[in-house]
């Protein structure tokens, strides 16, 4: 399996996120990608390659142009306003407030386009997020050219970012950009299978009305977990996309026994949809010692997870999302990829 990696991920190096009422060091840190890179290399899973530059067009197929424009200029607006620390928002719309007025100041824009205070914009954010999108697109191109598998070692992650908003450590939705690009290259049906611990609310929003992209997500029940306001089982899509969205929320404490059942149910739905390619939003934050998560998967469970997905017998493009037990993140990810490679 070929891995795509860009060292430009290091340009996203936030100082702090708001958690438990205080500013704490960002969980989503550069060492995450480095340790995965090193583990993939040590496991000799295959070559590690740099991404190609696809330009901004594939990003604009998924995200609103005003939003992309904002992300590209946010740091200069922030510094022009005299700020030096990370750019974080201070407030959000309440129900009844307006969305049809886009603020003119940087603080207003941060509030307009974000949905949490855990996702700092820094001097290097734009460089890192465009590299991450190119990593996803390069992996998609490998699968599109006929290879059975590819691993896009994306960082920052993407699945919380929607068509017109960022949050949850995510700015551009790498998996959605890859899935849309595959459609634009001629794939008739694409599935995004999201196995990160958190619900992929951005991906769901992007493909909500789309019959050609099946979104399936296994995640911690939003009744008790971030992102709280999306990811319930009764969300099945709308309009032409009715029936092509599947959420499988699971309770805190879920171990492989509960997880395997949901994964099997997901795979049976995917088999029926018969996608030309499966994009896997993979997060290892389902691990038992993840510092911000409450599932109980163990190292070898990731091999089983990879094996079940490989048995879909479809081209598989893995896109990296979360995982914050950093010391274990490399081996957990490499074990998942090995489970795919051994069965693809
Ligand atoms: C990203 B991915 C805010 C705390 C909220 C955000 C979790 C984002 C997870 N400071 N935590 O799905 O792994
Ligand atoms: Zn996550």
């Amino acid at each position: 399996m070929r891995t795509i990696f860009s060292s430009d991920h290091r340009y996203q190096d936030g100082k702090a996120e708001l958690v438990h009422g205080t500013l704490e060091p960002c969980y989503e840190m550069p060492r995450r990608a480095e340790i995965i890179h090193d583990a993939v290399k040590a496991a000799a899973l295959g070559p590690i390659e740099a991404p190609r530059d696809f330009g901004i067009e594939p990003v604009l197929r998924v995200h609103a142009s005003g939003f992309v424009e904002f992300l590209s200029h946010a740091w200069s607006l922030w510094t022009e306003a005299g700020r030096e620390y990370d750019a974080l928002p201070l407030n959000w719309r309440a129900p009844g407030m307006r969305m049809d007025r886009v603020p003119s100041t940087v603080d207003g824009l941060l509030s307009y386009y974000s949905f949490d205070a855990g996702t700092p914009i820094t001097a290097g954010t734009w460089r890192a997020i465009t590299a991450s999108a190119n990593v996803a697109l390069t992996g998609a191109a490998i699968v599109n050219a006929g290879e059975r598998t590819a691993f896009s070692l994306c960082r920052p992650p993407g699945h919380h970012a929607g068509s017109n908003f960022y949050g949850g450590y995510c700015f551009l939705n790498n998996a959605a950009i890859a899935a849309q690009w595959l459609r634009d290259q001629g794939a008739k049906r694409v599935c995004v299978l999201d196995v990160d611990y958190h619900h992929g609310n951005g991906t769901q929003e992007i493909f909500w009305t789309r019959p050609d992209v099946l979104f399936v997500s296994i995640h911690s029940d939003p009744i008790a977990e971030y992102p709280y306001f999306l990811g319930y089982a009764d969300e099945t899509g709308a309009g032409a996309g009715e029936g092509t969205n599947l959420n499988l929320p699971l309770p805190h404490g879920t171990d492989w026994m509960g997880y395997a059942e949901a994964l099997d149910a997901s795979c049976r739905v995917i088999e029926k949809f018969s996608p030309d390619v499966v994009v896997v939003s993979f997060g290892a934050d389902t691990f038992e010692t993840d510092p911000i998560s409450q599932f109980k998967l163990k190292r070898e469970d990731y091999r089983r997870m990879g094996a079940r997905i490989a048995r879909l017998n479809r081209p598989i493009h893995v896109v990296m999302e979360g995982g914050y037990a950093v010391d274990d993140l490399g081996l957990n990810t490499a074990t998942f990829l090995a489970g795919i490679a051994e069965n693809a």
Side-chain angles (χ1 to χ4, degrees), residues 17-19 116-118 159-160 168-169 196 198 226 285 292 322-324:
E17 63 175 89
L18 189 59
V19 55
D116 77 5
H159 72 152
H160 296 299
Y169 316 154
D196 184 278
H198 303 92
Y226 184 95
D285 42 6
I292 67 170
Y324 308 97

Side-chain angles (χ1 to χ4, degrees), residues 64-139:
S65 55
F67 172 62
V68 173
E69 185 80 1
F70 162 72
L71 287 176
S72 71
H73 291 134
W75 183 254
S76 44
L77 293 174
W78 184 250
T79 53
E80 280 159 23
R83 319 288 173 63
E84 283 160 18
Y85 207 73
D86 296 348
L88 287 174
L90 285 167
N91 68 285
W92 295 282
R93 278 181 295 269
M97 286 182 165
R98 295 175 63 160
M99 304 189 62
D100 64 332
R101 291 291 188 274
V102 183
S104 62
T105 61
V106 67
D107 295 289
L109 288 164
L110 289 165
S111 291
Y112 182 84
Y113 285 117
S114 70
F115 72 92
D116 77 5
T119 314
I121 291 178
T122 70
T125 297
W126 178 249
R127 183 163 173 182
I129 65 182
T130 49
S132 194
N134 279 320
V135 166
L137 286 160
T138 303

Side-chain angles (χ1 to χ4, degrees), residues 1-343:
M1 185 182 322
R2 289 156 70 182
T3 291
I4 319 303
F5 170 82
S6 168
S7 48
D8 278 3
H9 78 83
R10 295 182 203 136
Y11 287 92
Q12 174 64 3
D13 191 4
K15 293 181 174 69
E17 63 175 89
L18 189 59
V19 55
H20 302 151
T22 76
L23 281 173
E24 290 191 1
C26 289
Y27 288 100
E28 204 296 287
M29 60 180 73
R31 199 162 80 85
R32 294 182 57 250
E34 297 299 322
I35 205 157
I36 298 168
H37 172 276
D38 293 352
V40 165
K41 195 169 167 185
L45 279 162
I48 301 177
E49 304 164 20
R52 298 201 275 125
D53 184 5
F54 286 73
I56 206 67
E57 282 312 312
V59 172
L60 294 170
R61 294 283 293 140
V62 158
H63 294 287
S65 55
F67 172 62
V68 173
E69 185 80 1
F70 162 72
L71 287 176
S72 71
H73 291 134
W75 183 254
S76 44
L77 293 174
W78 184 250
T79 53
E80 280 159 23
R83 319 288 173 63
E84 283 160 18
Y85 207 73
D86 296 348
L88 287 174
L90 285 167
N91 68 285
W92 295 282
R93 278 181 295 269
M97 286 182 165
R98 295 175 63 160
M99 304 189 62
D100 64 332
R101 291 291 188 274
V102 183
S104 62
T105 61
V106 67
D107 295 289
L109 288 164
L110 289 165
S111 291
Y112 182 84
Y113 285 117
S114 70
F115 72 92
D116 77 5
T119 314
I121 291 178
T122 70
T125 297
W126 178 249
R127 183 163 173 182
I129 65 182
T130 49
S132 194
N134 279 320
V135 166
L137 286 160
T138 303
I142 287 171
V143 166
N144 189 241
E147 295 214 17
R148 293 299 281 180
T149 60
F151 175 44
S152 290
L153 208 180
C154 292
R155 182 184 171 270
H159 72 152
H160 296 299
S163 57
N164 204 32
F165 59 84
Y166 74 96
Y169 316 154
C170 303
F171 302 89
L172 297 175
N173 193 317
N174 308 307
I177 291 165
Q180 181 61 48
W181 185 87
L182 287 161
R183 279 285 294 117
D184 291 338
Q185 299 306 302
K188 289 277 170 282
R189 285 177 307 283
V190 177
C191 171
V192 180
L193 170 61
D194 190 322
V195 294
D196 184 278
Y197 171 79
H198 303 92
H199 177 247
N201 62 287
T203 314
Q204 174 169 314
E205 183 262 342
I206 287 165
F207 297 121
W208 183 241
T209 62
R210 293 276 297 273
D212 53 326
V213 181
L214 173 67
F215 179 65
V216 179
S217 182
I218 305 167
H219 51 267
S220 192
D221 193 332
I223 197 79
E225 191 56 84
Y226 184 95
Y228 299 113
F229 307 110
L230 209 66
Y232 292 87
D234 62 357
E235 298 157 13
T236 55
E242 176 61 56
T244 55
N245 193 92
L246 175 66
N247 284 327
L248 293 160
L250 299 171
H252 284 178
T254 292
D255 62 6
W256 178 248
M257 219 171 43
Y259 199 93
E261 200 176 311
L263 181 61
D264 206 57
S266 298
C267 287
R268 279 183 268 116
V269 169
I270 294 168
E271 276 152 14
K272 256 184 94 180
F273 184 74
S274 189
D276 298 305
V277 49
V278 179
V279 177
V280 180
S281 271
F282 175 73
D285 42 6
T286 47
F287 191 56
E288 55 185 344
T289 64
D290 193 276
I292 67 170
S293 307
Q294 312 293 332
F295 282 1
K296 295 286 166 236
L297 298 199
K298 298 179 184 301
R299 174 101 74 236
E300 282 304 311
D301 295 334
Y302 290 103
R303 191 183 308 277
R304 300 181 180 100
M305 191 189 294
R308 180 64 188 93
I309 293 169
R311 282 189 221 108
L312 288 168
N313 200 22
R314 304 280 159 181
I316 294 167
H317 175 207
V318 178
V319 173
M320 195 70 209
E321 301 285 358
Y324 308 97
V326 181
D327 291 341
D328 288 286
L329 179 59
L331 273 176
N332 287 343
T333 302
T335 303
F336 172 71
L337 297 171
I340 293 178
E342 291 157 6
N343 294 277

